[in-house]
Amino acid sequence: MNTDRKVAVVTGAGSGIGRAVALALASAGWSLALAGRRAEPLAETAAAAGAPDALCVTTDVTDEDEVGALFTAVRERFGRLDLLFNNAGTFGPGGPVEELAAADWRAVVDVNLTGAFLCAQAAYRLMKEQDPQGGRIINNGSISAHAPRPHSVAYTATKHAITGLTKSLSLDGRPYRIACGQIDIGNAATEMTERMRTGTLQANGELAVEPVMAAADVARTVVHMAELPLEANIPFLTVMATDMPYVGRG
């Protein structure tokens, strides 16, 4: 099915930031392809977005074949792709560096970095080949792309690496009108940040409750980035709960 509406792929769309962004994009008139590990949450996101025609594809972003199948399905349903919101990610287990198992390190790298690369690569291929050529990739970074939390070595390392991925995609996409930017989010209220409300470890060793912001405010920011003309790009943007410890974190 071809469409005159712009088409977006959202990974990690079954909950949290992914769901919020899907709802905001649908409200702005975008057609949606929703990707995540489980079918039921994707269907719930589509229903919440009022988008019964959304393409829902169960996808493990660490699996190259499943990622390929996702973007093949997008091409077959919509005929093109205008936006990838590269959002799927995991904190992984926390703990001291010396206690982190190599398998746990690899699991975080596989999802947060390799998964983001595989999705970006597949989106890039489609955007390069389609007519008219081009599109936009927005990577979900994190405040941890700037400053780490204690006991978060795997997560922090992958989020710093996402910054390099964003820069490389932005540079290599120039000849093909493929823009790439990154949104670094701090303390959006989702299932993954529930601990912020009860107390989380600070750099000085204390536990402290941290402020959070609505995920919908992040989503509005993503839509703003997404709807710029391809002649304009926001390479890096930080949106965070106003009073969270960031500048003074360390």
Side-chain angles (χ1 to χ4, degrees):
M1 180 184 73
N2 291 321
T3 177
D4 292 331
R5 300 169 66 182
K6 288 187 175 181
V7 178
V9 168
V10 179
T11 67
S15 63
I17 296 296
R19 176 172 288 180
V21 168
L23 268 60
L25 287 168
S27 181
W30 289 66
S31 293
L32 299 177
L34 307 175
R37 291 175 300 168
R38 296 179 296 135
E40 185 176 352
L42 296 179
E44 292 171 355
T45 296
D53 59 342
L55 175 65
C56 297
V57 184
T58 53
T59 308
D60 178 352
V61 297
T62 71
D63 187 306
E64 186 174 4
D65 291 336
E66 291 193 18
V67 170
L70 165 64
F71 286 88
T72 295
V74 170
R75 185 179 63 248
E76 291 175 351
R77 167 72 73 88
F78 300 110
R80 67 174 292 106
L81 175 64
D82 299 286
L83 172 69
L84 165 64
F85 181 47
N86 225 351
N87 169 68
T90 181
F91 283 139
V97 172
E98 70 274 16
E99 296 178 8
L100 182 67
D104 290 333
W105 165 274
R106 284 191 289 268
V108 175
V109 172
D110 283 350
V111 175
N112 291 1
L113 183 57
T114 303
F117 164 73
L118 291 175
C119 290
Q121 182 184 56
Y124 189 100
R125 288 168 175 160
L126 180 51
M127 291 171 176
K128 181 179 175 181
E129 294 169 359
Q130 65 194 13
D131 184 20
Q133 193 177 59
R136 190 180 306 274
I137 298 168
I138 300 175
N139 293 323
N140 186 346
S142 171
I143 292 290
S144 290
H146 304 267
R149 290 186 177 279
H151 297 170
S152 66
V153 63
Y155 182 79
T156 298
T158 59
K159 291 305 182 179
H160 275 66
I162 287 294
T163 298
L165 178 67
T166 298
K167 291 178 178 179
S168 288
L169 291 170
S170 182
L171 177 61
D172 292 345
R174 286 178 183 176
Y176 313 109
R177 301 186 75 244
I178 298 173
C180 186
Q182 179 171 318
I183 183 167
D184 294 325
I185 301 164
N187 286 16
T190 69
E191 297 91 332
M192 290 181 70
T193 58
E194 278 298 316
R195 60 189 175 134
M196 306 302 173
R197 304 185 189 195
T198 57
T200 191
L201 185 63
Q202 304 295 303
N204 64 0
E206 296 179 355
L207 290 177
V209 174
E210 294 188 12
V212 297
M213 62 177 170
D217 291 329
V218 176
R220 290 191 297 114
T221 307
V222 172
V223 172
H224 171 66
M225 296 173 72
E227 295 199 325
L228 289 172
L230 290 178
E231 291 73 25
N233 187 42
I234 297 173
F236 295 97
L237 183 153
T238 300
V239 58
M240 54 178 267
T242 302
D243 294 330
M244 74 170 287
Y246 164 45
V247 175
R249 181 184 290 184

